[in-house]
Amino acid sequence: DAGITQSPRYKITETGRQVTLMCHQTWSHSYMFWYRQDLGHGLRLIYYSAAADITDKGEVPDGYVVSRSKTENFPLTLESATRSQTSVYFCASRGVWENTEAFFGQGTRLTVV
Amino acid sequence: AQTVTQSQPEMSVQEAETVTLSCTYDTSENNYYLFWYKQPPSRQMILVIRQEAYKQQNATENRFSVNFQKAAKSFSLKISDSQLGDTAMYFCAFMKLGGSEKLVFGKGTKLTVNP
C-alpha cells in the first residue's frame, strides 16, 4: 500500500524495557520525522532525518535513538522506557521541494507501565 | 528558535456559523511556510491549508481561509459555514525554508461544532 505506515498502532510496555516503533513510507521522501503528542504540548519533534544515514536531534531527543539505513524506514527506539515516555508518537515524511506537504502516519499510542 | 503560539485551547461554534482560530509565531527568518493541520478523533493529521510567507495574498481552500499578517507574525484560520465534521484539534505549524525543513507546532485548539 502506498503511503506512510506506523507499527504497532498500540503498545503497552513495562518501565525499563526497550521498545521500537516502526515507520515505513513508500514515496522515497528524503525527509522523515518523529514527533510525540502530549496533552497541552502539541506535537514536539524528537528526531528527524534528511536522508539515509543522516539524522539529527529535535526538541526532545533524550531517551530515544533513531536510525535510517534505508530511505523508506525510520525506526524510533526507546532504549529503556520510562513512564514519561507514555505518549502518542507520529512519524511523518516529506519530499525535497519546498511546497510539498508533510504526510503523517496514523500514530502509535505507547503506554509505559 | 521558532515558536508558535495558539492562545485558544478550546473553542466552540454553531453549525453553519463562522469561527476564527488564532495563531502567532516568532521568527527572525524571512522565508518560511505556515500551515494549519486538522486532527479529528481518528488521530490522523490532515493538512488544511498552507501559506508561503513571500505571498501577500491570503490562501483559501473552499470554506477555509487564512489571515496572514507577516509584520504582526499572525496567521489565523477562518472556517466558514462550519460543519459537524470540522470538530477536531487544529494545529498551527511553522516551517523555515532551507535546512531541515522541520515543522514546529503550536499546542493546538480544540474546536467543537455544535448542531
Side-chain angles (χ1 to χ4, degrees):
Chain A
D1 289 337
I4 181 166
T5 55
Q6 293 181 233
S7 60
R9 293 291 307 277
Y10 301 90
K11 176 76 176 178
I12 300 174
T13 192
E14 294 179 341
T15 300
R17 288 194 180 267
Q18 182 181 83
V19 60
T20 297
L21 309 183
M22 305 301 293
C23 179
H24 175 78
Q25 52 104 354
T26 61
W27 297 297
S28 298
H29 282 166
S30 292
Y31 295 103
M32 294 190 75
F33 310 89
W34 274 106
Y35 289 89
R36 60 177 289 174
Q37 182 179 9
D38 304 289
L39 195 64
H41 290 279
L43 281 82
R44 293 179 292 174
L45 183 66
I46 304 171
Y47 268 96
Y48 61 97
S49 170
D53 297 322
I54 301 174
T55 62
D56 207 347
K57 296 178 180 179
E59 181 185 354
V60 288
D62 292 345
Y64 303 95
V65 174
V66 293
S67 62
R68 196 165 175 208
S69 57
K70 292 184 178 180
T71 299
E72 60 267 29
N73 296 323
F74 191 40
L76 176 73
T77 298
L78 287 67
E79 294 187 299
S80 178
T82 65
R83 289 195 179 90
S84 65
Q85 293 177 309
T86 292
S87 186
V88 178
Y89 291 84
F90 284 96
C91 179
S93 72
R94 186 175 177 281
V96 296
W97 301 109
E98 62 186 39
N99 63 348
T100 60
E101 69 178 272
F103 293 90
F104 286 78
Q106 322 94 300
T108 296
R109 181 177 292 278
L110 176 68
T111 302
V112 183
V113 298
Chain B
Q2 289 78 27
T3 58
V4 177
T5 302
Q6 294 179 248
S7 58
Q8 306 147 316
E10 292 192 38
M11 295 189 71
S12 63
V13 64
Q14 292 299 122
E15 196 175 6
E17 294 187 347
T18 296
V19 64
T20 298
L21 280 57
S22 301
C23 173
T24 58
Y25 58 96
D26 186 23
T27 185
S28 58
E29 302 292 332
N30 200 42
N31 297 316
Y32 52 87
Y33 273 67
L34 294 162
F35 305 85
W36 279 99
Y37 277 87
K38 170 185 177 181
Q39 186 183 46
S42 67
R43 213 165 65 196
Q44 184 65 45
M45 294 289 287
I46 302 165
L47 179 65
V48 175
I49 199 165
R50 86 188 86 192
Q51 174 80 43
E52 298 92 328
Y54 64 86
K55 288 188 177 179
Q56 292 187 335
Q57 186 174 7
N58 289 324
T60 62
E61 288 287 344
N62 301 313
R63 298 184 293 108
F64 298 88
S65 61
V66 297
N67 184 4
F68 173 49
Q69 302 289 328
K70 191 173 183 179
K73 297 179 182 175
S74 171
F75 184 61
S76 60
L77 175 70
K78 185 171 81 170
I79 305 174
S80 304
D81 186 25
S82 296
Q83 300 176 359
L84 297 178
D86 295 333
T87 292
M89 282 289 290
Y90 287 83
F91 292 98
C92 179
F94 172 100
M95 184 183 79
K96 182 184 80 169
L97 289 179
S100 66
E101 315 281 342
K102 56 185 182 284
L103 289 165
V104 177
F105 286 89
K107 294 182 179 182
T109 296
K110 183 178 180 181
L111 176 67
T112 302
V113 180
N114 298 308

